[in-house]
Amino acid sequence: MSGRTASVAALAVLVTVSSCGTPSERRGRVTEDVTRFERALDAGQPAQLCAALAPSTREELEQAAKTRCERAIGEQGLPRAGAVRSVDVYGGQARVVLEHDTVFLARFTDGWKVTAAGCRPRPQQPYQCEIKSG
Amino acid sequence: MSAAPETREGTAPIGRRVRLFLRHNSLGLFFVTAFLLALSGQAVAGHAEFNNQLVADGLEPIGFGAYLTTSDFGVDVMENWQSEYLQFFLYIFGTVYLLQRGSPESKELGRAGIESDQDQMVGEHAADDSPRWAAATGWRTAVYSRSLGLVMGTIFLLSFLAQSVTGVAAYNEQQLRQLQAPVSWSAYLSSADFWSRTLQNWQSELLAVASMAVLAIYLRQRGSPESKPVGASHSATGVEG
């Protein structure tokens, strides 16, 4: 029976920690990628901003604006976000709350990509975001 | 297992010993094997469903090994484990005190309770081949006398805790995917998701136990120790086939 108990505990630990590093390591990687996104925003580098978007978010942005991402993203009015206040990572999804913005990300093979940005919380409803996937 | 087959197992040729081992342990071996097959099937189906949802949301699918470490798989496994162990914990403790007239799942009427030391073969009433802790006195007998229920109850609590930990992680992953705020573990414990997962499992386990206790009054399964003998009367209580 102690073997079964150990299996339950081991599974819980495995599931909690996940295969992609410890929670603090994952939060660190998410913070790095968001910081890179915010630096590109501050520096007005549309190519880097578009490269940081998840494919479906980029596609939605281009379809809505009927132009290339590099042109469209400058017209979205994304706020200067400021410093990172908190990072939540669950599985392949993350939320980063910054001083003046909230950004959502998803994990891809080549790193964390922004799925939604320019987001404002709404009571009892999903965040309202300037850019997001369809 | 009786002493005679063990002796035969010990002296027989290896092939015969293996066959005897398999036959004498077929109940446990069958269910452990079936459990592993069902868990594997659940993992395969769960992985496909998880990836279908990721692709539909424009996200990247994950490999099978990565899926096995997700909270999504973890909570699906844990919510079933906790309810099964709760079922057996309740049944083991409940049948000490609760009776069901005519059911082979019940003790004989009038024997509710923990019974006498003589009936339970503990302390000075222990036999030569009784477990050592049954023959001992004090806390060891007290613990061993409740060890089956205690272990089932402990596994229930651990798997229920694991369900809450994996459940909040899976719930929050879904929340973030839908651009909603995550919740804390304590908030999750009072959430609809947690109690929906929990109660849908508990109700089915309790129904299964109630069905077994009551249907076995009137129905028979020839040769099964879970049934009364086919010819036993409907009013015979505590009789196993």
Side-chain angles (χ1 to χ4, degrees), chain B:
Chain B
M1 197 180 296
S2 66
E6 281 175 9
T7 306
R8 285 205 301 273
E9 273 183 44
T11 56
I14 183 74
R16 179 170 161 72
R17 279 161 60 185
V18 169
R19 282 197 300 277
L20 277 173
F21 175 83
L22 293 175
R23 190 182 305 161
H24 291 167
N25 297 282
S26 54
L27 185 62
L29 289 170
F30 170 78
F31 279 102
V32 168
T33 305
F35 157 70
L36 292 173
L37 288 172
L39 185 63
S40 303
Q42 179 189 347
V44 171
H47 177 229
E49 184 194 13
F50 192 72
N51 273 348
N52 286 344
Q53 194 57 53
L54 284 175
V55 171
D57 289 344
L59 302 171
E60 200 170 74
I62 61 172
F64 184 69
Y67 174 71
L68 296 182
T69 65
T70 61
S71 50
D72 189 82
F73 179 61
V75 69
D76 285 351
V77 173
M78 287 300 116
E79 72 178 47
N80 283 279
W81 284 22
Q82 61 88 358
S83 65
E84 301 298 337
Y85 283 101
L86 174 66
Q87 175 195 44
F88 278 102
F89 168 74
L90 289 177
Y91 206 43
I92 290 162
F93 267 108
T95 50
V96 173
Y97 301 98
L98 304 177
L99 303 171
Q100 180 61 55
R101 183 190 298 274
S103 177
E105 298 297 318
S106 167
K107 297 197 287 190
E108 293 168 28
L109 303 178
R111 292 191 65 190
I114 59 173
E115 304 179 13
S116 68
D117 285 358
Q118 188 173 3
D119 288 338
Q120 290 292 314
M121 299 167 60
V122 295
E124 64 185 64
H125 304 286
D128 291 341
D129 59 352
S130 292
R132 277 195 301 133
W133 281 31
T137 54
W139 67 271
R140 274 176 290 200
T141 309
V143 169
Y144 190 67
S145 297
R146 296 160 180 80
S147 54
L148 185 59
L150 286 173
V151 168
M152 291 291 184
T154 302
I155 297 176
F156 158 65
L157 289 175
L158 288 174
S159 48
F160 200 25
L161 175 66
Q163 179 199 329
S164 71
V165 172
T166 54
V168 70
Y171 180 77
N172 281 341
E173 185 171 5
Q174 190 65 29
Q175 287 282 102
L176 295 183
R177 205 185 289 174
Q178 295 169 350
L179 306 182
Q180 297 185 72
V183 300
S184 67
W185 178 71
S186 56
Y188 180 70
L189 291 185
S190 60
S191 72
D193 184 81
F194 178 68
W195 286 106
S196 172
R197 283 179 178 276
T198 298
L199 292 172
Q200 68 169 307
N201 281 282
W202 286 3
Q203 59 84 14
S204 65
E205 304 304 338
L206 295 170
L207 174 66
V209 170
S211 302
M212 186 66 197
V214 174
L215 291 177
I217 299 171
Y218 304 104
L219 306 177
R220 307 286 185 270
Q221 188 63 49
R222 186 170 181 157
S224 173
E226 301 305 313
S227 164
K228 294 191 280 193
V230 178
S233 79
H234 292 337
S235 61
T237 306
V239 180
E240 294 185 342

Side-chain angles (χ1 to χ4, degrees), chain A residues 36-117:
Chain A
R36 197 174 299 125
F37 179 80
E38 295 300 335
R39 280 197 192 127
L41 188 64
D42 289 345
Q45 297 170 319
Q48 281 86 339
L49 283 172
C50 289
L53 296 181
S56 59
T57 304
R58 181 180 176 137
E59 190 179 306
E60 179 70 18
L61 175 63
E62 290 180 335
Q63 282 183 359
K66 294 185 172 52
T67 184
R68 293 172 58 240
C69 176
E70 286 77 3
R71 265 183 87 89
I73 198 156
E75 299 164 3
Q76 298 307 307
L78 290 176
R80 297 282 170 90
V84 172
R85 282 190 168 165
S86 68
V87 179
D88 299 291
V89 183
Y90 292 96
Q93 305 294 315
R95 179 189 71 160
V96 180
V97 179
L98 302 111
E99 277 180 311
H100 307 296
D101 193 8
T102 297
V103 178
F104 289 85
L105 302 97
R107 190 173 52 215
F108 287 80
T109 309
D110 54 346
W112 290 87
K113 301 283 186 182
V114 173
T115 54

